[in-house]
């Protein structure tokens, strides 16, 4: 039986381990933390959005974001700019050109749709019980914001996305607790998208992995892979040889691969979330809402509300940006005032989205035999995780991936 090491026990590592074990592989997961889903997969927005999924690249986006950068409640922030960030921004600007955008948009949609079907199949087959709710609503405050969004509607139609263009009245029917004080011009409703608790799903799937014999080595900080022996997993305490290694190490993936001469332009784009207990169910969202102006999502996860947003480039990974949290509190209060207990026990969290300039992940073989990649899922890693894992595992097993993986491979490695 083939021995495979998976580095990282975030949602991508766990789904990958699950798929590989389902194909009969002997899998060991190495994780530097003491538990599953402690980094980017810990308290993300929980929006599982195969319909709305969007790469953070688009024609006109650089100019639009620059125009918002210095506003009090800007969705983008600069924490610091070094050579790494500037090089990444230059590649990202090139990817924002129309031809590049159209290709990446449809690749992402293709993967997200596949992921949705895998996610539903696994959840129902294993009867996994995690917090979830159906439907995702995007809200526009002004006719101008709504008109700007209309440009993407044709693309949604061409890709077969199920969505409704809705009025303010319909938005308030879908989410009856939306504040009357905040003006709605209109919105988009994605009935097949959902809110689902990513960390809870990862923990449940880890249990399923263990039932199938997957071994978990927590508190194991893997050293960068060695060019002399790339499938040798090195810990400070010793080493073990595997037939293959799958790198699912989020923002640390580029450092792990660097000694192999594989250069990946992976940048952490920091985001922030708030989680607070529901104060009054009648005042809370039923599922998920996005404020288009601030690019902030408000999700109902069980008895809690999670508010998520902000894309911050650069800066100290550990430092919390008070202004970013203020924006999250403001957007929550604009749409669902009084819904959450924000005066006590709010969990304020910062995470890093491992993002590639084109806004789509790298899934497939690296150029080094035995070393495989499942990295760079950016702002949609939860949505993409099940599909990326199934496709990669099929490839490793010599099968057809199950989705069109053109564009997700090593041709994009520098
Ligand atoms: C604020 C925020 C909101 C988000 N909201 C959404 C959303 O609503 N919907 C959506 O689809 N996606 C969302 N995302 C994106 C999504 O959370 C990520 O894309 C996804 O969690 C990435 O999973 P991962 O397993 O690749 O990374 P991680 O969860 O970061 O896992 C990587 C793991 O590798 C481990 N590791 C790293 N280096 C080593 C090493 N040397 N040795 C051993 N272990 C190592 C880390 O400890 C970590 O556990 C959001 C992200 C953020 C930050």
């Amino acid at each position: 039986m083939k021995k495979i090491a998976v580095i990282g026990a975030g949602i991508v590592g766990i789904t990958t381990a699950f798929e590989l074990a389902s194909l009969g592989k002997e899998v060991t997961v190495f994780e530097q933390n003491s538990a599953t889903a402690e980094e980017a997969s810990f308290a993300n927005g929980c929006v599982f959005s195969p319909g709305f999924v969007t790469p953070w690249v688009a024609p006109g986006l650089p100019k639009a974001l620059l125009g918002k950068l210095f506003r009090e409640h800007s969705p983008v922030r600069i924490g610091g700019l070094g050579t790494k960030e500037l090089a990444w921004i230059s590649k990202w600007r090139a990817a924002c050109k129309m031809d590049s955008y159209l290709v990446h948009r449809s690749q992402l949609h293709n993967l997200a749709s596949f992921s949705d079907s895998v996610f539903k199949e696994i959840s129902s087959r294993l009867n996994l019980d995690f917090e979830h709710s159906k439907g995702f609503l995007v809200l526009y405050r002004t006719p101008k914001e709504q008109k700007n969004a209309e440009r993407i509607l044709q693309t949604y139609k061409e890709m077969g996305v199920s969505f409704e263009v809705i009025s303010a009245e319909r938005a308030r029917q879908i989410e009856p607790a939306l504040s009357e004080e905040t003006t709605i011009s209109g919105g988009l409703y994605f009935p097949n998208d959902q809110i689902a608790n990513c960390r809870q799903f990862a923990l449940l799937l880890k249990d399923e992995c263990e039932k199938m014999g997957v071994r978990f080595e927590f508190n194991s900080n893997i050293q960068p892979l060695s060019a002399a022996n790339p499938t040798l997993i090195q810990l400070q305490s010793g080493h073990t040889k595997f037939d293959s290694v799958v790198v699912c190490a989020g923002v640390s993936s580029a450092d792990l691969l660097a000694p192999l001469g594989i250069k990946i332009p992976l940048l952490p784009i920091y985001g922030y979330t708030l989680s607070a207990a529901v104060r009054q169910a009648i005042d809370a969202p039923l599922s998920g809402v996005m404020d288009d102006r601030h690019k902030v999502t408000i999700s109902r996860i069980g008895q809690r509300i999670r508010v998520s947003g902000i894309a911050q480039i650069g800066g100290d990974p550990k430092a919390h940006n008070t202004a970013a949290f203020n924006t999250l509190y403001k957007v929550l209060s604009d749409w669902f005032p009084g819904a959450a207990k924000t005066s006590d026990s709010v969990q304020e969290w910062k995470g890093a989205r491992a993002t590639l300039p084109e806004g789509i992940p790298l899934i497939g073989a690296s150029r080094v035999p035995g070393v495989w990649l499942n990295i760079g899922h950016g702002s949609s890693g939860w949505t993409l995780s099940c599909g990326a894992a199934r496709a990669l595992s099929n490839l490793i097993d010599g099968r057809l991936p199950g989705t069109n993986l053109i564009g997700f491979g090593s041709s994009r490695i520098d």
Side-chain angles (χ1 to χ4, degrees):
M1 200 194 297
K2 271 205 152 198
K3 279 174 62 179
I4 303 185
V6 172
I7 308 178
I11 188 64
V12 173
I14 293 291
T15 48
T16 302
F18 175 79
E19 293 293 339
L20 287 168
S22 303
L23 292 173
K25 310 295 177 204
E26 190 183 317
V27 182
T28 306
V29 179
F30 294 92
E31 168 55 53
Q32 64 190 357
N33 291 311
S34 57
T36 302
E38 291 286 298
E39 301 287 333
S41 312
F42 181 73
N44 66 19
C46 288
V47 181
F48 193 97
S49 53
F52 182 67
V53 70
T54 325
W56 280 0
V57 293
L61 192 61
K63 199 171 158 208
L65 292 182
L66 193 65
K68 291 186 174 181
L69 195 56
F70 301 105
R71 295 197 187 153
E72 185 188 359
H73 293 297
S74 172
V76 271
R77 286 163 202 267
I78 302 290
L81 287 178
T83 45
K84 192 177 164 194
E85 285 79 14
L86 290 170
W88 188 93
I89 290 173
S90 155
K91 287 186 173 162
W92 170 74
R93 287 188 60 195
C96 282
K97 298 208 170 103
M98 182 58 90
D99 48 351
S100 168
Y101 162 73
L102 288 176
V103 170
H104 294 132
R105 178 77 187 76
S106 98
Q107 285 167 339
L108 199 66
H109 175 73
N110 171 37
L111 179 61
S113 308
F114 178 62
S115 196
D116 188 38
S117 61
V118 177
F119 169 72
K120 285 177 177 151
E121 182 253 302
I122 295 173
S123 313
S124 76
R125 176 162 52 87
L126 301 176
N127 207 10
L128 299 179
D129 185 15
F130 52 92
E131 292 160 338
H132 67 284
S133 51
K134 225 170 161 325
F136 185 60
L137 186 58
V138 180
L139 294 171
Y140 304 108
R141 294 176 185 237
T142 62
K144 191 176 167 207
E145 288 172 10
Q146 196 173 1
K147 198 162 183 337
N148 280 344
E150 275 168 13
R151 288 179 300 180
I152 53 169
L153 301 187
Q154 186 55 29
T155 325
Y156 284 140
K157 281 183 195 149
E158 282 161 17
M159 290 185 303
V161 173
S162 174
F163 71 98
E164 287 172 45
V165 179
I166 56 164
S167 63
E169 194 187 15
R170 173 90 178 105
R172 294 187 193 284
Q173 278 167 359
I174 294 167
E175 285 291 353
L178 282 170
S179 170
E180 294 286 348
E181 304 293 314
T182 303
T183 313
I184 304 174
S185 169
L188 292 181
Y189 183 55
F190 296 84
N192 297 335
D193 287 6
Q194 55 178 302
I195 300 305
N197 189 327
C198 173
R199 178 165 176 257
Q200 221 179 18
F201 183 88
L203 292 167
L204 291 169
L205 207 60
K206 183 227 168 207
D207 292 346
E208 298 295 329
C209 284
E210 283 182 319
K211 285 182 203 162
M212 290 192 291
V214 174
R215 287 182 55 205
F216 284 85
E217 299 285 349
F218 288 107
N219 303 307
S220 300
N221 185 4
I222 304 303
Q223 303 303 299
L225 302 179
S226 104
N229 206 340
T231 58
L232 188 78
I233 288 292
Q234 301 180 78
L235 290 158
Q236 266 143 9
S237 55
H239 53 258
T240 314
K241 178 81 179 149
F242 288 85
D243 297 306
S244 301
V245 172
V246 189
V247 178
C248 306
V251 284
S252 307
S253 302
D255 291 344
L256 285 171
L257 293 159
L260 307 182
I262 299 174
K263 287 192 198 150
I264 314 254
L266 199 61
L267 197 72
I269 307 276
Y270 300 107
Y272 295 82
T273 66
L274 304 173
S275 307
V278 169
R279 190 207 302 264
Q280 289 287 349
I282 199 168
D283 294 329
L286 298 174
S287 189
V289 164
M290 187 177 98
D291 176 311
D292 179 70
R293 179 179 297 173
H294 301 96
K295 313 287 181 220
V296 167
T297 59
I298 304 170
S299 308
R300 175 74 174 267
I301 42 172
Q303 292 311 308
R304 289 179 300 157
I305 293 176
R306 176 146 313 146
V307 190
S308 169
I310 312 295
Q312 179 188 310
I313 294 186
D316 176 353
K318 299 276 174 221
H320 277 194
N321 183 326
T322 310
F325 284 117
N326 287 344
T327 297
L328 301 187
Y329 282 110
K330 173 210 153 38
V331 175
L332 173 63
S333 155
D334 282 355
W335 293 112
F336 297 101
K341 292 182 184 167
T342 46
S343 51
D344 53 39
S345 311
V346 177
Q347 180 193 61
E348 295 185 343
W349 178 79
K350 176 182 184 182
R353 310 170 182 96
T355 311
L356 289 154
E358 307 88 3
I360 61 168
L362 265 174
I363 305 163
S366 73
R367 295 198 197 113
V368 176
V371 177
W372 298 81
L373 311 175
N374 196 356
I375 60 178
H377 303 75
S379 58
S380 312
W382 166 217
T383 306
L384 303 175
S385 57
C386 293
R390 169 85 42 104
L392 180 66
S393 305
N394 282 345
L395 281 180
I396 293 174
D397 201 39
R399 302 170 188 228
L400 288 173
T403 187
N404 177 359
L405 274 188
I406 291 170
F408 291 97
S410 60
S411 59
R412 285 168 49 225
I413 298 173
D414 281 353

